């Protein structure tokens, strides 16, 4: 079953129990992402995370802010995340990134990691992100990119596609930045981190 926010929901529902252990193998990469985001957070901030998975960024970063609202469109992902103890500032819920229930200008920052490229219509998510962000609010969108470093492993991607995974967009770092900028954001940073199966563009932006 596909939807606007994250492609094949059935795939992510099936994959939820394996997702946390698999992402544990990328702990160094996620540590690098946290190191980029953490200095820009403060105790006064309310943060929305979209496509949180099982909480790879939610748990290490939520203690830095007033409220961390972690969401995913897969109920199974949220159930797996809720099995772990977390900060009293961390809340999980099932939400569609393209149709959010929050009021306009509610959040100081939005985090969406490795999700824009697997959404059929990421422009809908970016419109909602811009709507719920306060003026000048921050967007953190670390995303796997193509055309840099070693690139994606073709065999791994073939196997992933057979399993039901699909990436709808194949941006390089410049293309990702241009796409986000074209939807009402000013890019403030886009360093590349070495990752597998592809380099990761640790994109940061500000709502115009």
């Amino acid at each position: 079953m596909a939807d606007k926010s994250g492609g094949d929901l059935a795939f992510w529902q099936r994959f939820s129990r394996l997702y946390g252990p698999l992402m544990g193998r990328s702990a160094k990469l996620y540590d690098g992402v946290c190191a980029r985001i953490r200095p820009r957070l403060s105790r006064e901030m309310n943060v929305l995370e979209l496509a949180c998975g099982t909480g790879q960024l939610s748990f290490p970063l939520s203690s830095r802010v007033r409220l961390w609202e972690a969401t995913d469109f897969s109920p199974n992902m949220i159930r797996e995340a809720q099995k772990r103890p977390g900060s009293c500032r961390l809340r999980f819920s099932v939400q569609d990134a393209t149709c959010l229930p929050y009021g306009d200008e509610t959040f100081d920052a939005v985090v969406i990691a490795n999700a824009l490229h697997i959404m059929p219509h990421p422009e809908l998510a970016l419109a909602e992100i811009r709507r719920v962000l306060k003026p000048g609010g921050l967007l953190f969108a670390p995303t796997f990119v193509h055309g840099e470093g070693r690139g994606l492993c073709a065999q791994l991607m073939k196997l992933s596609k057979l399993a039901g995974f699909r990436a709808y967009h194949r941006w390089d770092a410049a293309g990702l930045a241009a796409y986000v900028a074209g939807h009402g954001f000013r890019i403030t940073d886009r360093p590349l981190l070495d990752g597998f199966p592809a380099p990761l563009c640790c994109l940061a932006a500000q709502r115009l």
Side-chain angles (χ1 to χ4, degrees):
M1 179 174 69
D3 77 359
K4 295 176 182 178
S5 64
D8 194 325
L9 176 59
F11 171 80
W12 297 107
Q13 289 283 85
R14 293 194 307 269
F15 191 51
S16 60
R17 290 188 179 180
L18 298 176
Y19 188 78
L22 183 62
M23 291 299 100
R25 300 174 65 179
S26 300
K28 184 177 179 181
L29 177 61
Y30 279 91
D31 287 346
V33 173
C34 287
R36 291 283 179 176
I37 296 176
R38 189 176 288 114
R40 303 187 68 178
L41 301 177
S42 70
R43 184 66 74 204
E44 294 74 32
M45 296 174 72
N46 294 326
V47 178
L48 172 65
E49 183 182 6
L50 304 174
C52 69
T54 55
Q56 285 66 38
L57 297 179
S58 323
F59 289 100
L61 292 176
S62 57
S63 63
R64 307 282 296 190
V65 301
R66 177 192 292 132
L67 171 69
W68 189 284
E69 187 77 24
T71 72
D72 199 282
F73 85 135
S74 165
N76 286 353
M77 286 287 192
I78 294 298
R79 277 193 283 271
E80 290 298 314
Q82 289 174 328
K83 292 177 181 179
R84 299 172 57 185
S87 165
C88 63
R89 299 179 178 89
L90 174 60
R91 302 190 312 204
F92 287 100
S93 66
V94 178
Q95 304 294 347
D96 178 348
T98 68
C99 186
L100 296 169
Y102 312 107
D104 295 354
E105 301 180 4
T106 299
F107 295 96
D108 301 286
V110 172
V111 177
I112 180 168
N114 288 324
L116 290 175
H117 64 305
I118 63 172
M119 290 181 171
H121 300 286
E123 72 279 4
L124 300 180
L126 287 171
E128 279 293 85
I129 289 169
R130 193 172 186 279
R131 180 183 68 79
V132 302
L133 270 176
K134 296 176 182 179
L138 304 177
L139 169 63
F140 302 103
T143 305
F144 287 126
V145 292
H146 297 249
E148 306 281 357
R150 64 186 172 206
L152 286 168
C153 171
Q155 187 63 26
L156 178 61
M157 290 304 293
K158 183 178 179 180
L159 292 173
S160 298
K161 189 174 182 180
L162 289 173
F165 173 83
R166 180 177 176 183
Y168 290 84
H169 305 276
R170 295 174 61 88
W171 293 303
D172 59 14
L176 172 65
Y179 186 84
V180 173
H183 288 84
F185 294 89
R186 180 176 66 85
I187 308 304
T188 60
D189 203 12
R190 57 178 184 94
L192 281 174
L193 304 181
D194 188 31
F196 182 82
L200 182 139
C201 178
C202 204
L203 185 141
Q206 190 171 32
R207 180 195 153 178
L208 294 175

